[in-house]
Amino acid sequence: MKQSCEVAIVGSGFAGSLLARLLAVQGYDVVLLERGTHPRFAIGESSTPLANLSLERIGARYGLEDCYQLATHGRWLAHFPDLRRGLKRGFTFYRHHPNEPFASRGYDCERLLVAASPHDSLSDTHWLRADVDHHFVRKAIEAGVEYLDHVNLTSVDFSSAAVTASGVREGNEFALRANFLIDASGPGGFLARQLLIPSGLEQTETRSALVFSHFDGVRLMSDVLPGMPEGPYPDDWAAVHHVIDEGWMYSLRFDDGVTSAGFLLTPRGLASLKLADSSDAASIWYAMLEQYPTIASAFADATPLMPIAFHPGIQHRLTQSTGERWAMMPHAYAFVDPLFSTGIAWSLRAVERLALAFESAAPNQRMPDKDVLARYSAALSAEANQIDRVVAGAYEGMSHFDLFAAQAMLYFAIVSFAEVSQRLKPDDSVAWNGFLGVGDPVLEPLPRESLRRLKEITHSRGATGTSEERRDFVEWIANAIASRNIAGLANPDRKNLYPVDFDELVNKHALLGMSREQILKALPALRGM
Ligand SMILES: Cc1cc2nc3c(=O)[nH]c(=O)nc-3n(C[C@H](O)[C@H](O)[C@H](O)COP(=O)(O)OP(=O)(O)OC[C@H]3O[C@@H](n4cnc5c(N)ncnc54)[C@H](O)[C@@H]3O)c2cc1C
């Protein structure tokens, strides 16, 4: 084992291994340290168009063909059929009510579908993380990264000249000296514990517990709810969200039939179950199914492929994400909630930013300069707050489907505007654009204001408000996003079924600062033709 290197990276999830590889491609001497081994189970599986745009940019900039191929479902299948994944055409939402089957009222039912891709081959994917993370580790090794698994890091020491990480591997003590250390340990929180970094969780709003597993034999919602009006894509080939009184449930189907599913429960929601043991995963799981007959019907024949697990609080947030000779990946710094699947995209954006930071390092320093690290840290802090506000607003909105659907429009307006802007005007500096509207004078303030308005309606106690209050909120959202709404969102004529609408995009060319002709010229690329 090496005794020194230029960059030590702690944690080999996809973020740590991909960044390790990009630095090795740039000529850095990198060691990647993992406490476990691969393949291993990991949660956080549903990717999005913004995540795939990052992968494509990384693929193009560093000549990594696999990153480009893994950025759409069609290319993934053609080039990496052995890496398990699921087709994700968009975001599907149903609102269920306790002890009532989902009410199939045609176009009037509480169902929202937002397409993220125009057809299957350009679609996003659910990542079977055991396979995907393992792939990225293997690729890092091929690129020259020294990868060490089963490492137990016991201490880290920063001096003005170096950082030294010490630990034990295979019974042998070691000390690794590096120029710079990146903490990609996720909620493992390696540096948070070593440096006693204070928590910043009290500044944040969202609180949820998680009960989850992978399952075989989950029925398709299209079988459970036959006769629903046709949507822009088949309901099940998406990130399926079941919004319930206690929070929400995700259900992510992989192409091989396995489904990743979990309930996210608010503290009030969990307490309302009145279980003898409110930390017993299986009791919580089956209590939830008992409460919601349509979900129970989908899971009637499902068998967990591993024990159902429970985490009482999945949020974490630190007060610092960089320091002298170190930086954290987003998942080590903060996590809010899986709602709207922000994690992979945010992590990949940070991989891009740190790779660029090392690229622009002064030759005699061989590590990011202070200004770039300060920029990185400010971005992460603002973005973590923004994710929290968007998600906290959605939790408030869960009290009534109209409020929830309107808040979802805010999220989709922000990401679709960013996605189309990035696709139409490709540029490496895009990696530094704020995530979720941060830095956009129109979009940045909206999640805060939206959350404030929602709390006024719900009194932060789940009140549904009057029909007038709800109508006002829905109208406010439609007006607030109008100057960024290139996707035809918040349109009542759509009946909550939103396809990818290229005609709308062409009509809204001015919002993107482009002429009709310029957009028309770019359309084949957007359509994947
Ligand atoms: C319940 C849940 C659902 C989610 N769903 C989604 C979703 O649908 N879509 C989405 O985009 N995002 C989702 N996320 C977020 C997503 O999981 C993260 O963005 C993603 O896992 C970040 O990857 P990473 O490589 O940074 O960290 P991780 O995947 O957390 O990997 C960290 C690695 O570090 C290793 N490690 C930890 N401590 C140490 C140590 N001391 N020494 C050495 N190694 C260590 C671990 O073993 C692990 O391999 C979800 C998160 C949660 C909690």
Side-chain angles (χ1 to χ4, degrees), residues 512-524:
L512 290 155
M514 297 173 84
S515 68
R516 178 175 290 270
E517 290 64 37
Q518 284 172 317
I519 294 260
L520 284 170
K521 215 168 137 197
L523 270 192

Side-chain angles (χ1 to χ4, degrees), residues 10-17 33-38 40 42-48 51 88 129 133 151-153 183-190 193 210 212 250 252 264 311 314 329-332 335 337-347:
V10 179
S12 66
F14 70 86
S17 12
L33 303 154
E34 167 60 49
R35 73 174 170 195
T37 191
H38 287 275
R40 54 97 174 93
I43 205 157
E45 297 150 322
S46 194
S47 91
T48 56
K88 179 186 177 186
R129 290 283 303 276
D133 288 15
V151 164
N152 176 16
L153 288 174
D183 183 359
S185 67
F190 171 64
R193 279 183 284 110
L210 169 69
F212 71 100
Y250 65 83
L252 313 174
L264 281 301
H311 290 300
I314 56 168
M329 300 312 294
H331 202 215
F335 180 68
D337 192 270
L339 191 57
F340 300 133
S341 310
T342 50
I344 297 178
W346 195 34
S347 297

Side-chain angles (χ1 to χ4, degrees), residues 33 40 89 109 118 258 290 303 307 379:
L33 303 154
R40 54 97 174 93
R89 287 292 312 279
C109 66
V258 169
E290 207 170 303
T303 41

Side-chain angles (χ1 to χ4, degrees), residues 149-441:
D149 60 1
H150 294 302
V151 164
N152 176 16
L153 288 174
T154 48
S155 69
V156 65
D157 178 56
F158 287 89
S159 73
S160 58
V163 43
T164 306
S166 306
V168 182
R169 183 167 190 256
E170 293 170 347
N172 299 315
E173 290 188 1
F174 68 86
L176 177 69
R177 190 181 150 92
N179 256 349
F180 198 86
L181 184 138
I182 290 167
D183 183 359
S185 67
F190 171 64
L191 277 186
R193 279 183 284 110
Q194 291 295 330
L195 301 180
L196 301 176
I197 299 172
S199 166
L201 197 58
E202 77 287 348
Q203 317 158 22
T204 69
E205 301 266 350
T206 311
R207 295 290 180 273
S208 53
L210 169 69
V211 55
F212 71 100
S213 189
H214 274 191
F215 297 85
D216 232 346
V218 179
R219 289 176 68 200
L220 293 167
M221 289 305 290
S222 55
D223 291 342
V224 176
L225 296 172
M228 300 285 278
E230 197 180 333
Y233 56 82
D235 289 35
D236 290 276
W237 296 108
V240 177
H241 302 65
H242 299 285
V243 180
I244 53 178
D245 280 6
E246 297 81 4
W248 67 285
M249 178 196 206
Y250 65 83
S251 184
L252 313 174
R253 190 172 284 271
F254 293 94
D255 293 348
D256 64 1
V258 169
T259 295
S260 171
F263 286 100
L264 281 301
L265 305 171
T266 62
R268 201 168 58 231
L270 184 57
S272 73
L273 297 179
K274 299 196 169 44
L275 296 171
D277 178 356
S278 64
S279 63
D280 180 60
S283 307
I284 301 171
W285 181 268
Y286 292 107
M288 296 310 302
L289 293 190
E290 207 170 303
Q291 191 114 301
Y292 293 98
T294 303
I295 304 177
S297 175
F299 282 80
D301 301 322
T303 41
L305 296 173
M306 54 187 205
I308 297 172
F310 175 70
H311 290 300
I314 56 168
Q315 289 68 34
H316 66 270
R317 173 72 184 265
L318 299 173
T319 45
Q320 209 184 339
S321 62
T322 61
E324 198 163 347
R325 296 187 181 277
W326 64 268
M328 278 177 191
M329 300 312 294
H331 202 215
Y333 169 63
F335 180 68
V336 177
D337 192 270
L339 191 57
F340 300 133
S341 310
T342 50
I344 297 178
W346 195 34
S347 297
L348 289 174
R349 192 74 72 82
V351 167
E352 286 186 88
R353 289 170 180 169
L354 286 176
L356 290 171
F358 276 92
E359 252 183 272
S360 63
N364 58 340
Q365 293 293 319
R366 303 280 290 165
M367 61 181 179
D369 71 48
K370 281 197 171 84
D371 292 352
V372 181
L373 282 183
R375 184 179 184 192
Y376 176 83
S377 155
L380 247 51
S381 166
E383 291 166 354
N385 290 340
Q386 188 80 332
I387 296 169
D388 182 45
R389 290 182 197 120
V390 171
V391 170
Y395 269 95
E396 287 299 326
M398 286 176 192
S399 66
H400 193 286
F401 193 63
D402 291 350
L403 299 175
F404 179 82
Q407 176 73 3
M409 293 296 104
L410 174 58
Y411 165 77
F412 288 113
I414 293 173
V415 292
S416 56
F417 186 76
E419 183 201 342
V420 171
S421 308
Q422 290 180 26
R423 279 204 189 282
L424 292 178
K425 302 175 203 165
D427 173 356
D428 285 330
S429 66
V430 152
W432 284 105
N433 286 3
F435 190 66
L436 277 198
V438 167
D440 179 319

